Amino acid sequence: MARPSGISARPEQPAEFDVVIVGAGFAGLYAVHRLRELGLAVRCYDAASGVGGTWFWNRYPGARCDVESMDYSYSFSPELEQEWSWTERYPAQPEILRYLNHVADRFDLRRDIQLETRVTGASYDETAGRWEVRTGQGDVARARFLVIATGCLSAARIPDFPGLGSFQGATYHTADWPDEGVDFTGKRVGVIGTGSSGTQAIPLIAAQAAHTTVFQRTANFSLPARNRPLDREYERALKARYQEHREFVRYTPNGTARRNSDRSALEASAEERRTEYESRWQEGGGGFIGAFNDLLKNQDANDTAAEFLRSKIREIVRDPRVADLLSPRGFPVGSKRVTVDTDYYATFNRPDVTLVDVHSAPIEEITPTGIRTADASYELDAIVFATGFDAITGAVLAIDPRGRGGLHLRDKWSAGPRTYLGLVTAGFPNLFLVTGPGSPSVISNMVVSIEQHVDFIADHLVYLNKNGLEVTEADAAAEDAWMDHVNEVAAGTLFVKGNSWYVGANVPGKPRIFMPYVGGVGVYRRKCEDIAASDYPGFRTT
Ligand code: NAP
């Protein structure tokens, strides 16, 4: 690709910037804008051929956000939020991608973004106080600060199935979907994975394919999205108080306008619970989990929600054997990400859809003509891997930054990620993570958490500059205390009981650590505000 002049530099002639930003999704785009406003010279790299991050890659049929559009958008510009108009309650991938392209143009961000350039390594030069960043294209850039904005769900993974390369049909991963789409008409399609991506894609694949076989290892709790065109009156009313609404959302438990009850499920009668669950089910979306205040804390309370959701599956799915297989058991609702779908369960009433239990009979091999499990073989023309990501740490460790004394982040995090506030990690000066492990990140509305982190980083850089400081770094003791706090808060919830990607359970050999901070978006924000207002305790600055 031809690069705009002045952007590229070869190893013998490194380019100098104040900040290198990795990733041009929601986080990277805002970081370019915010840090450039401070007068800093920034360079943003992204491996993709366009901006958009996760919304660039995840083009699978049905890809849609499970946070409502008017909340899943930037709040930093009142003009932007007034002029942009979403079409649906939950935005679909193409619309989010259009929005992010609009943002890139509107704020003239592209001149500082170099696409089709994967960052492959970064090392801190202690003598010069500079990060040296290397790319797969041979670029070398030097910068005082490195901001890793690679996203929590960007390192897609396909399990290491024997025979993977032997399949003669087409294979796809939901997070690396062809630009031009895929036509499954007349095809026998196998889908492996029933998380958020599989649950969204399966109804649309099934509507097109000759036959769809769904390979399910763990049944997930799924809620109907009840997506619909955005009500214009609702939009007008919200826009009239948009900034006030944003400020409210910033201090909520998860960064959305979800209604959170202050009542225990166990204080309510069975009839009251049923009424409340039914009303949230009818409302659609992830608001179900806010029905009572102890659903993520108390197993007995959670059991009532789980049983309600299983009863819904039995109502929708006609074949009792299939309904039973689709009914999640053995982990609390919400401890694995609850999926939000359109017609997922009803899809299993189709005569051309087969559900295969690969928990009791695991996939043993991908063969040239299909998939062989422990008890049967399935002939297929195409396989869709909806098998998820090496979440939260995967993309950061693919860069494997090297800090003081050449320390590899991969070694430092060998027993699990360690950070202070999910923003910085001891031994890696002037390196910031946006929505890193130990911050609310994936347990929150990502856009709210991204803006908060980028603003924190920007304010911190202003502080350093004002005080003539060159280097900032997590204090090791503060990091230990923060990790203890993250673990303690998680241990008081049911989150730790699920074998989820939140704990790295989906990647063989990955250390089992509950990675996000579940103390709440508002609580976390206040902690960060207090730290910023008190000259950044926990940061070693020189
Ligand atoms: P995921 O939730 O990790 O789901 C991966 C699926 O693949 C699971 O059903 C998993 O089963 C299965 N799987 C993995 N390895 C397997 C194996 N060896 N054999 C059989 N099955 C296997 O990934 P995802 O669906 O891509 O979603 C990841 C996250 O991205 C979501 O939780 C969400 O945060 C985000 N996302 C959001 C949206 C949205 O906003 N609506 C849409 C898509 C994704 P097990 O459960 O047994 O491991």
Side-chain angles (χ1 to χ4, degrees), residues 259-510:
R259 286 183 298 118
N260 291 303
S261 164
D262 54 9
R263 187 177 187 203
S264 157
L266 303 176
E267 282 167 9
S269 69
E271 189 47 39
E272 286 169 329
R273 277 197 300 265
R274 174 96 204 161
T275 305
E276 184 62 25
Y277 289 145
E278 183 65 33
S279 124
R280 301 235 177 193
W281 173 269
Q282 292 306 334
E283 193 178 307
F288 182 88
I289 215 75
F292 294 101
N293 67 0
D294 48 0
L295 293 187
L296 291 169
K297 293 199 176 116
N298 182 304
Q299 185 65 59
D300 292 339
N302 194 284
D303 286 345
T304 67
E307 189 39 43
F308 173 86
L309 294 176
R310 286 190 288 263
S311 77
K312 285 295 178 191
I313 300 170
R314 292 193 293 271
E315 268 173 34
I316 299 168
V317 179
R318 287 196 289 270
D319 181 336
R321 194 194 58 85
V322 177
D324 190 55
L325 205 50
L326 286 167
S327 296
R329 286 194 182 79
F331 61 94
V333 181
S335 64
K336 293 182 80 154
R337 174 84 164 209
V338 176
T339 67
V340 174
D341 73 89
T342 299
D343 296 335
Y344 177 64
Y345 292 123
T347 296
F348 292 90
N349 290 331
R350 296 178 65 109
D352 52 5
V353 173
T354 306
L355 182 64
V356 175
D357 175 13
V358 294
H359 179 70
S360 61
I363 294 173
E364 292 201 330
E365 191 188 6
I366 309 279
T367 67
T369 56
I371 292 177
R372 189 172 60 74
T373 70
D375 62 12
S377 286
Y378 300 86
E379 298 286 300
L380 302 166
D381 302 308
I383 300 176
V384 173
F385 294 97
T387 45
F389 302 85
D390 182 355
I392 305 180
T393 54
V396 183
L397 292 178
I399 298 170
D400 191 20
R402 300 185 67 179
R404 284 194 193 281
L407 175 65
H408 284 267
L409 189 61
R410 193 171 276 284
D411 291 335
K412 175 174 173 181
W413 286 6
S414 61
R418 298 190 68 74
T419 70
Y420 179 47
L421 302 173
L423 270 159
V424 283
T425 185
F428 294 79
N430 290 2
L431 182 152
F432 296 97
L433 302 158
V434 181
T435 64
S439 73
S441 61
V442 291
I443 303 292
S444 71
N445 175 351
M446 286 300 288
V447 186
V448 170
S449 290
I450 282 167
E451 286 192 324
Q452 188 249 332
H453 265 191
V454 172
D455 288 340
F456 183 96
I457 294 166
D459 292 345
H460 191 54
L461 297 195
V462 170
Y463 168 85
L464 296 178
N465 188 43
K466 224 167 59 189
N467 291 283
L469 299 162
E470 288 286 321
V471 181
T472 183
E473 178 178 355
D475 174 72
E479 181 170 295
D480 289 346
W482 180 251
M483 293 318 294
D484 288 348
H485 176 60
V486 169
N487 291 330
E488 191 186 318
V489 175
T493 72
L494 300 176
F495 276 109
V496 289
K497 288 198 170 180
N499 278 327
S500 67
W501 56 261
Y502 297 150
V503 294
N506 63 326
V507 180
K510 190 164 172 169

Side-chain angles (χ1 to χ4, degrees), residues 49-61:
S49 61
V51 300
T54 197
W55 299 106
F56 176 90
W57 295 106
N58 286 269
R59 295 163 188 243
Y60 62 84

Side-chain angles (χ1 to χ4, degrees), residues 58-73:
N58 286 269
R59 295 163 188 243
Y60 62 84
R64 188 180 291 287
C65 186
D66 56 5
V67 176
E68 296 198 21
S69 53
M70 291 199 63
D71 284 320
Y72 193 78
S73 47

